[in-house]
Amino acid sequence: MAAHRRLPVPVPGIRARVTLNIGGCGPYAHIVADFEPPGPGGAALELISVVPKRRLPKAMLPALREGLLEGLGGVGAAVLVTDGSFDEVSSWDLGYRMAGREAGRAALIGAGLLPPEAAGALRWTTWPGQPRPKRRPRPYG
């Protein structure tokens, strides 16, 4: 995707919750974010978190930013993180990169920049209006 592209429409309410169990713990990450087209002359990614530090430490935001940039693939967006959580033991950078990557891809699907079928590859992410997989017809017999 070209770097000059911008998210064309808002995609609110994207929820990414990464829960893996590697050797007994994590990574764990949880965010809820609203994606908007960037402001005029805005950066490729404008990231703002309104989540209290006790729920989402600022130390996790650089990893989240990396994941969002990867997931958006050069499409400019303003991202407002409205909720989130972490776990003292299980949360680390990997989980927030994964959450950001999937949330960015979900925003592209929600905005019509990726086909609806791409939603099937998102393991950890949901959003309002998310395409549902087509049901296979049941064989009669």
Side-chain angles (χ1 to χ4, degrees), residues 86-106:
F86 83 109
D87 180 79
E88 291 281 345
V89 175
S90 299
S91 291
W92 64 77
D93 290 355
L94 175 62
Y96 286 92
R97 278 196 304 272
M98 291 169 67
R101 183 173 49 246
E102 283 216 359
R105 302 300 284 179

Side-chain angles (χ1 to χ4, degrees), residues 16-65:
R17 185 183 303 269
V18 175
T19 54
L20 283 175
N21 189 349
I22 301 173
C25 66
Y28 171 84
H30 169 234
I31 63 157
V32 179
D34 295 334
F35 287 71
E36 301 269 341
L45 175 64
E46 302 168 37
L47 176 61
I48 298 171
S49 174
V50 295
V51 183
K53 288 188 277 188
R54 64 182 163 68
R55 292 194 43 83
L56 181 61
K58 301 292 183 211
M60 298 299 171
L61 294 180
L64 177 60
R65 173 181 289 279

Side-chain angles (χ1 to χ4, degrees), residues 69-129:
L69 285 167
E70 183 180 333
L72 289 167
V75 174
V79 181
L80 176 65
V81 181
T82 59
D83 196 8
S85 61
F86 83 109
D87 180 79
E88 291 281 345
V89 175
S90 299
S91 291
W92 64 77
D93 290 355
L94 175 62
Y96 286 92
R97 278 196 304 272
M98 291 169 67
R101 183 173 49 246
E102 283 216 359
R105 302 300 284 179
L108 296 180
I109 296 164
L113 297 176
L114 286 177
E117 301 80 44
L122 300 180
R123 179 176 179 185
W124 311 107
T125 307
T126 60
W127 65 96

